[in-house]
């Protein structure tokens, strides 16, 4: 079970690490939307995601 964490401009899984009995989880942090944005120019150049507006 990994909590979802928001770090502008993406939601991530794995940013929080579990610590139990002196051991720390080693799962990498990843964001599905960021992975898509990294791969899209090569595999799906015709599809673009709308930018997220930074609201304060």
């Amino acid at each position: 079970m990994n909590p979802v964490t928001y770090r502008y401009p993406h939601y991530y899984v794995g940013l929080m690490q579990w610590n139990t009995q002196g051991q720390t989880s080693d799962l990498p942090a990843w964001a599905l939307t960021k992975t898509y944005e990294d791969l899209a120019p090569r595999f799906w150049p015709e599809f673009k995601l709308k930018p997220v507006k930074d609201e304060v």
Side-chain angles (χ1 to χ4, degrees):
M1 181 175 95
N2 282 312
V4 176
T5 308
Y6 181 74
R7 182 186 295 169
Y8 181 82
H10 304 292
Y11 285 95
Y12 286 87
V13 173
L15 285 179
M16 294 176 59
Q17 294 186 339
W18 295 102
N19 294 302
T20 304
Q21 299 176 355
Q23 303 236 347
T24 303
S25 65
D26 60 354
L27 296 172
W30 63 277
L32 181 60
T33 307
K34 179 164 178 8
T35 301
Y36 173 81
E37 288 173 348
D38 292 344
L39 295 174
R42 179 175 178 184
F43 294 105
W44 312 284
E46 66 278 8
F47 296 110
K48 302 287 183 202
L49 295 176
K50 293 179 183 176
V52 176
K53 294 182 181 179
D54 186 18
E55 297 181 29
V56 180

